[in-house]
Amino acid sequence: MRSLLRSPAIRAMAGRLSWGLGDQAVSSITNFVVGLFVARSLGTFAFGMFSLAWVSYGVVLNLSRGLTTDPLMVRFSGVSTESWRAATAKATGTALSAGVVAGAISVVAGLVVGGPIGGAFIALGVVIPTLLLQDAWRFTFFAAGHGKKAFVNDVVWGIALIPALFIAHQWFDTVVAFILAWGLSGAVAAGYGCLQSGVRPDPRGTLEWLKRHRDLGARYVVENVSNAGSTQLRMYGLGAIAGLASVGAVRGAELLLGPFFALLMGLSLVTVAESARVLQRAPHRLRRFCAVLGAGQAVAALIWGLALLLVPDDAGRFVLGDVWDPASELILPVTIGIAAAGFNTGAAAGLRALGAAKRSLRAQLINSAGYVGLGLIGAFLAGASGSAWGVALAITSGSAVWWLQLHTALKEHLASEKDGGAETHPPKVSST
């Protein structure tokens, strides 16, 4: 064991994972602070409106990742600097292009809807392009093994967020103001990413990037959007069935699990690249690596959630204001759901590293259907509480699907290598 810990490869992996955990911690704090300000300042109903805009952004973010940084993580992790720079210019340019298109759609939708909700979507449309660019920088840095740069970039966002939230709270105190504060501070970090990387995003390479990586991108888009889209459908359905206050309660409970919820959203920053490295060096160890990865997250989420159950109501109200009372009733089912999701991300990372997009898509579609179906059935039966328990049941039962797909994909890969046939995952390419 001691000799294993002294291995340069193990030490290097530990260093990259440490920066990944640090980056996700900063990202979690940033998301938590934004949600906290909105919840405390505007109450449950307005927090519900903010949550609808937030989950809509999540759909766009996952679409962008599927087209840009997910293929980059699979095919450009650990390649030469020259290849990385060329791929990064096109990937970040594609992310920026996706943000412009999505932002325009969001603004038009906001104008059509009108009112406070419409204003929230107009504000979201304004800030989406640079938010997607900032997220893309984080992935590109981890693909190159430069996790420290991703960490610093998120710290810059957090620092810029402090005065932005202060101004939004003191002078405006509206959902639109908070969305703009969050997004414009992210724009500062996106600009800093250009300086860190020395690479300029190239939107002109968008079509070339999409064409070259359409074999992975198409499936990852469907997979990612089905994941984020199921959350959006569940929240919209819950709002229609039980009201915006129920949406705010569910989002409040998720906010309390923020460190792990945000970790799951951005987990592939570290795990896909590391899984790809394990696959290259010791394919037979990939399953164990993914299991340890998933189990560690599940246990951490359970510990955090159980600790939240012990928080006194007065302390909870101090943190979340009026949102605490309805949100606190949902801590247990939300904790179970996020712990199960954490376990499943281990299998998802392995499937991404194998390039088994067809199998990961199949698992995601099955899980998304259960998530929406049981979440809305629960909403019909028992409002926010029923929806939370339905989602927990869906995610937990879906674990079998994820791990079965990983087992099968890895078995096929090992058999292919043994027979001297073509690899089951797309080979890395050294240029774009």
Side-chain angles (χ1 to χ4, degrees), residues 37-58:
F37 261 81
V38 177
R40 283 180 56 85
S41 300
L42 304 181
T44 307
F45 184 82
F47 189 53
M49 285 194 296
F50 179 84
S51 298
L52 291 182
W54 185 280
V55 297
S56 299
Y57 162 70

Side-chain angles (χ1 to χ4, degrees), residues 42-424:
L42 304 181
T44 307
F45 184 82
F47 189 53
M49 285 194 296
F50 179 84
S51 298
L52 291 182
W54 185 280
V55 297
S56 299
Y57 162 70
V59 174
V60 177
L61 177 65
N62 280 276
L63 186 151
S64 175
R65 288 178 177 177
L67 291 174
T68 61
T69 51
D70 283 344
L72 183 139
M73 292 291 282
V74 171
R75 290 177 167 165
F76 294 93
S77 292
V79 299
S80 67
T81 300
E82 182 181 353
S83 296
W84 175 84
R85 288 176 62 87
T88 294
K90 291 183 173 62
T92 54
T94 304
L96 193 57
S97 298
V100 171
V101 173
I105 294 173
S106 183
V107 169
V108 171
L111 292 173
V112 171
V113 173
I117 295 179
F121 278 91
I122 292 173
L124 179 64
V126 171
V127 300
I128 275 181
T130 50
L131 287 176
L132 296 188
L133 178 59
Q134 191 275 339
D135 184 76
W137 285 128
R138 299 167 68 211
F139 278 83
T140 61
F141 289 145
F142 275 104
H146 299 155
K148 182 179 180 179
K149 290 185 177 180
F151 173 81
V152 172
N153 192 274
D154 268 331
V155 169
V156 169
W157 188 355
I159 293 173
L161 187 63
I162 295 173
L165 287 179
F166 178 80
I167 293 172
H169 177 59
Q170 292 294 324
W171 292 359
F172 302 100
D173 217 24
T174 63
V175 172
V176 169
F178 281 114
I179 291 176
L180 291 176
W182 164 60
L184 294 177
S185 57
V188 174
Y192 184 61
C194 297
L195 297 177
Q196 288 178 291
S197 64
V199 176
R200 180 181 299 178
D202 184 13
R204 296 171 301 177
T206 297
L207 292 180
E208 181 183 352
W209 178 267
L210 295 177
K211 182 178 179 180
R212 285 184 175 272
H213 303 286
R214 63 179 180 272
D215 57 326
L216 292 181
R219 287 194 172 97
Y220 286 157
V221 163
V222 177
E223 180 182 337
N224 289 358
V225 173
S226 69
N227 182 23
S230 63
T231 301
Q232 187 177 29
L233 288 175
R234 181 252 184 139
M235 287 295 195
Y236 284 175
L238 177 60
I241 295 168
L244 282 176
S246 293
V247 175
V250 170
R251 178 58 189 153
E254 292 175 346
L255 184 62
L256 293 171
L257 273 292
F260 301 97
F261 193 72
L263 180 65
L264 295 180
M265 291 181 64
L267 193 64
S268 55
L269 284 169
V270 181
T271 56
V272 174
E274 293 306 323
S275 296
R277 290 184 176 97
V278 172
L279 181 64
Q280 292 169 16
R281 295 167 182 167
H284 60 284
R285 294 180 179 173
L286 180 63
R287 184 185 293 107
R288 181 184 300 177
F289 174 79
C290 294
V292 171
L293 181 71
Q297 292 177 89
V299 171
L302 286 173
I303 292 174
W304 182 269
L306 293 176
L308 288 174
L309 292 173
L310 303 178
V311 174
D313 286 338
D314 289 341
R317 294 189 189 101
F318 176 78
V319 174
L320 282 182
D322 294 338
V323 177
W324 167 260
D325 288 327
S328 62
E329 298 176 1
L330 309 179
I331 290 175
L332 182 57
V334 171
T335 296
I336 293 173
I338 290 181
F343 184 57
N344 295 344
T345 55
L351 287 169
R352 288 288 174 95
L354 287 162
K358 184 177 180 179
R359 292 196 173 277
S360 61
L361 174 60
R362 183 181 303 163
Q364 185 58 61
L365 289 176
I366 293 173
N367 277 263
S368 294
Y371 180 95
V372 175
L374 293 180
L376 294 184
I377 290 173
F380 272 113
L381 296 177
S385 177
S387 182
W389 279 109
V391 165
L393 176 61
I395 298 176
T396 303
S397 59
S399 296
V401 179
W402 278 109
W403 288 95
L404 177 61
Q405 293 299 318
L406 175 62
H407 172 76
T408 305
L410 184 57
K411 184 177 179 181
E412 292 171 349
H413 174 81
L414 294 175
S416 177
E417 283 198 334
K418 183 177 180 180
D419 295 338
E423 293 184 346
T424 58

